[in-house]
Amino acid sequence: MIKNSLISWVLLTVSYYSIAEETWRGLVVEQENRCSPYNKKAQYPYPQSVEDEIVASMGGVVYGPYTGSYFESDTDTDIEHIVAASEGHDSGLCAASDEMRVQFATDLLNLTLAAPVVNRCNVGGKCGYDAGEWMPEKNQCWFSNRVLQIKTKYRLSVDRNEAEVLERTLSACSSFEMIFYPHSELGNSDQEDDKQRSPLEMYDDNNNGRISCSEAKKHKITPVLSQHPAYQFMRDSDGDGIVCEN
């Protein structure tokens, strides 16, 4: 009897820790799964007028938080889903009702603005990637927290890499508010040229071939994750994929 009780206790303990290892901050950790066909326009529609609501939610400025860029008009930006429709679909909404999918597509919690070059499938563009595959240049803390909020609200899953990247980012954050960076004196065309410059040209102020934390902080790109182009020129002493956490 004691032996059987001990075995049962061990099995229950193993089962508990197995379940615990499969969740992160209340979200199920599992691989993405397209359990039903995906059609963004048909399943995740939203009116163009929602763009006005996004602008209003940011105090009336046309602002792209991913790059800290301001625009003359929302005709220069795309409506951007922070958790992409395809990512949401493959993380649980493939089994959701039509009403739930529309709610997800029109929820201001999940909406922001981004320049087309950032939002679409260009080199370095977001292109439906999850947070483990793509992080914005700026406002990483706000972005990561929004992903967590959205996935929690709609009971979506995360894959293991996404959970690890989000945890590293969130644990290094002191605030999750959207940062409105100072207006750049560059015009839009100059901003596009800026995206083509190498990280050393942009952030290596003393031209020594490396980017220090002080330089990264000066340019407001900290914490720097492994996905950021500056990371390859920085020293990650503990090898955790993130530098300049503090």
Side-chain angles (χ1 to χ4, degrees), residues 191-236:
Q191 290 176 8
E192 295 302 319
D193 291 340
D194 196 51
K195 292 183 177 65
Q196 305 304 317
R197 296 167 61 197
S198 75
L200 289 178
E201 289 179 295
M202 296 173 67
Y203 310 122
D204 179 20
D205 296 331
N206 62 7
N207 298 312
N208 67 349
R210 303 293 298 171
I211 299 171
S212 67
C213 280
S214 61
E215 289 170 330
K217 289 175 181 177
K218 175 184 175 182
H219 292 280
K220 302 181 190 283
I221 61 172
T222 57
V224 182
L225 301 185
S226 58
Q227 294 90 346
H228 195 285
Y231 176 86
Q232 62 183 308
F233 301 102
M234 305 185 74
R235 182 171 178 269
D236 185 0

Side-chain angles (χ1 to χ4, degrees), residues 113-129:
L113 299 177
V117 70
V118 176
N119 179 52
R120 302 177 190 177
C121 295
N122 307 287
V123 176
K126 188 166 179 280
C127 194
Y129 292 137

Side-chain angles (χ1 to χ4, degrees), residues 22 89 111 117 122 168 173 182 216 238 243:
E22 294 174 356
H89 191 83
L111 294 174
V117 70
N122 307 287
R168 285 199 299 267
C173 295
D238 55 10
V243 293

Side-chain angles (χ1 to χ4, degrees), residues 111-192:
L111 294 174
T112 189
L113 299 177
V117 70
V118 176
N119 179 52
R120 302 177 190 177
C121 295
N122 307 287
V123 176
K126 188 166 179 280
C127 194
Y129 292 137
D130 67 30
E133 301 165 315
W134 184 91
M135 271 281 170
E137 175 188 340
K138 296 181 178 178
N139 273 303
Q140 293 181 356
C141 289
W142 165 83
F143 173 80
S144 298
N145 189 55
R146 276 295 183 92
V147 171
L148 175 58
Q149 289 180 311
I150 295 156
K151 291 211 162 188
T152 299
K153 180 175 181 177
Y154 291 94
R155 299 182 180 179
L156 304 180
S157 63
V158 289
D159 62 39
R160 190 162 300 282
N161 179 60
E162 182 181 13
E164 290 175 354
V165 171
L166 285 171
E167 182 60 37
R168 285 199 299 267
T169 307
L170 292 169
S171 62
C173 295
S174 58
S175 171
F176 301 118
E177 295 297 317
M178 181 189 293
I179 299 172
F180 287 82
Y181 291 89
H183 282 268
S184 171
E185 295 180 0
L186 300 175
N188 284 339
S189 60
D190 291 328
Q191 290 176 8
E192 295 302 319

Side-chain angles (χ1 to χ4, degrees), residues 10-127:
V10 170
L11 290 174
L12 284 172
T13 302
V14 171
S15 176
Y16 171 80
Y17 281 106
S18 177
I19 291 171
E21 289 175 355
E22 294 174 356
T23 63
W24 170 77
R25 297 199 181 205
L27 302 179
V28 174
V29 178
E30 62 183 11
Q31 289 299 114
E32 295 172 7
N33 174 38
R34 183 158 293 185
C35 62
S36 66
Y38 169 72
N39 184 315
K40 182 177 181 179
K41 288 186 178 180
Q43 297 168 318
Y44 298 91
Y46 55 88
Q48 192 64 33
S49 60
V50 77
E51 201 159 21
D52 295 332
E53 297 179 54
I54 299 170
V55 172
S57 73
M58 294 192 291
V61 296
V62 185
Y63 181 68
Y66 294 165
T67 57
S69 302
Y70 296 82
F71 302 88
E72 292 294 326
S73 166
D74 58 17
T75 59
D76 298 324
T77 60
D78 282 350
I79 296 171
E80 154 65 8
H81 286 87
I82 297 166
V83 174
S86 59
E87 163 66 10
H89 191 83
D90 295 348
S91 300
L93 290 176
C94 57
S97 66
D98 292 341
E99 291 77 13
M100 181 65 74
R101 291 171 180 169
V102 172
Q103 180 183 338
F104 172 86
T106 56
D107 191 342
L108 279 178
L109 183 68
N110 192 31
L111 294 174
T112 189
L113 299 177
V117 70
V118 176
N119 179 52
R120 302 177 190 177
C121 295
N122 307 287
V123 176
K126 188 166 179 280
C127 194

